[in-house]
Amino acid sequence: MRILTKIISGIAIVGLLCAPLLFYNDRISQIQTNNILLISSILWFLSAPFWMGVKSKE
């Protein structure tokens, strides 16, 4: 479960970083940028608390 949430969080961060760059280079429209940023933000805030700050069982 923890690995899956890390993967989802990583994908969300990539979306948050790439969307503005793609918009700046005229690859995607502003509406697409807004949608990517919204979905990425929601994914990040839903998945990150499950693995951040939790100590591993070792």
Side-chain angles (χ1 to χ4, degrees):
M1 175 74 175
R2 226 173 136 185
I3 293 174
L4 179 63
T5 56
K6 285 183 179 183
I7 292 169
I8 293 171
S9 296
I11 292 169
I13 289 294
V14 169
L16 288 170
L17 294 174
C18 289
L21 295 174
L22 291 171
F23 176 71
Y24 180 74
N25 290 321
D26 291 327
R27 301 283 185 202
I28 58 176
S29 67
Q30 184 176 2
I31 293 172
Q32 291 172 322
T33 303
N34 292 345
N35 289 335
I36 292 170
L37 291 174
L38 177 66
I39 292 168
S40 295
S41 297
I42 291 170
L43 284 175
W44 170 258
F45 283 110
L46 288 177
S47 63
F50 290 105
W51 63 268
M52 290 184 76
V54 178
K55 295 183 180 184
S56 62
K57 297 176 185 178
E58 292 181 334

